[in-house]
Amino acid sequence: METELNIDIIIEIQKGTDIKYKYDPTKKAIFCDKIINISKYYQYNQGVIPNTLGENGNTLEVILLMDEPLLPGTYINCKFLGYLDTIENTKKNPIMIMCPSNKISTKYIDFIDINNSINILKTNSREIIRHFIYEKKQIEENKSVKISEFYGKDEATEIFIEALTKFSNKQKICSNKNKITNYFEKI
């Protein structure tokens, strides 16, 4: 049996709310970003994967498939199911699709890969997720977005590792700049 990659994500937006929160990695805090002025609510818990950096310069976004709402700021251990490929304002923005790890709940033990598990979720889950992301990005955030295809957990894991590496490399560069700046401040 293959080992599953489980990681902690931080919830930004609680399922069932009309309030959009945003995680600020520099302050390590959640802020109220906006209140939706249309008669909608968030259908999924949404979050980010800390210490990652996507092609668009932001942390990787997550849609968390689970029945229960989680409070913003909650960390939860999750497993990858796949990702939805999107382009936001001309930059790639893969949105990770995850569910709680088996350690958190055995309810999702059969959720293995978005391409194999989607029938367990609901037959129309892919379209619901696509529509939800389109509305969230296009209408609420006023961003140009192109929704593409779903890809499986192996591809999602590759993107996660790339984003982790990109974040780590950026941290090293910033650390080296600080060392140089600190050196010149001492002179």
Side-chain angles (χ1 to χ4, degrees):
M1 184 168 168
E2 112 185 25
T3 305
E4 194 167 70
L5 176 62
N6 295 327
I7 62 164
D8 292 332
I9 70 166
I10 185 168
I11 298 300
E12 285 186 320
I13 304 169
Q14 180 178 358
K15 175 181 180 175
T17 188
D18 62 351
I19 301 171
K20 180 178 185 257
Y21 298 91
K22 192 145 184 93
Y23 177 70
D24 183 336
T26 56
K27 295 182 180 177
K28 297 185 178 170
I30 301 257
F31 291 89
C32 180
D33 189 45
K34 70 170 84 170
I35 298 172
I36 304 170
N37 292 325
I38 54 178
S39 62
K40 293 231 173 231
Y41 63 90
Y42 287 94
Q43 298 167 326
Y44 304 98
N45 290 303
Q46 292 174 69
V48 294
I49 303 174
N51 303 326
T52 59
L53 194 58
E55 284 185 37
N56 63 356
N58 296 325
T59 53
L60 291 179
E61 292 180 59
V62 175
I63 287 183
L64 180 59
L65 301 178
M66 66 182 287
D67 297 329
E68 302 78 11
L70 294 173
L71 294 173
T74 302
Y75 279 85
I76 182 171
N77 191 257
C78 296
K79 61 183 179 179
F80 288 95
L81 296 175
Y83 78 95
L84 176 60
D85 195 26
T86 70
I87 297 174
E88 182 180 295
N89 293 337
T90 72
K91 295 194 179 183
K92 242 177 135 53
N93 184 32
I95 299 174
M96 301 293 120
I97 310 296
M98 303 180 84
C99 71
S101 68
N102 298 340
K103 175 178 98 173
I104 298 295
S105 176
T106 56
K107 183 179 187 178
Y108 304 97
I109 203 158
D110 292 332
F111 288 35
I112 298 166
D113 187 294
I114 195 79
N115 293 324
N116 299 329
S117 302
I118 203 71
N119 292 334
I120 295 169
L121 308 176
K122 286 183 195 167
T123 52
N124 62 348
S125 286
R126 289 178 192 232
E127 288 312 309
I128 290 170
I129 292 170
R130 275 192 179 103
H131 183 72
F132 173 73
I133 292 300
Y134 177 80
E135 279 195 344
K136 178 180 181 279
K137 300 290 183 182
Q138 187 91 22
I139 298 169
E140 296 165 27
E141 298 175 10
N142 200 26
K143 295 178 180 175
S144 169
V145 65
K146 181 183 174 206
I147 309 292
S148 189
E149 298 299 317
F150 283 95
Y151 293 91
K153 77 173 183 179
D154 292 339
E155 293 90 344
T157 302
E158 286 175 25
I159 288 174
F160 163 69
I161 291 168
E162 288 171 14
L164 206 56
T165 303
K166 192 172 183 180
F167 177 84
S168 178
N169 290 341
K170 183 179 178 185
Q171 293 300 102
K172 287 177 189 172
I173 289 168
C174 289
S175 176
N176 287 339
K177 283 182 182 177
N178 287 341
K179 286 177 188 174
I180 293 168
T181 304
N182 290 342
Y183 172 78
F184 284 112
E185 285 175 356
K186 291 178 185 176
I187 294 178

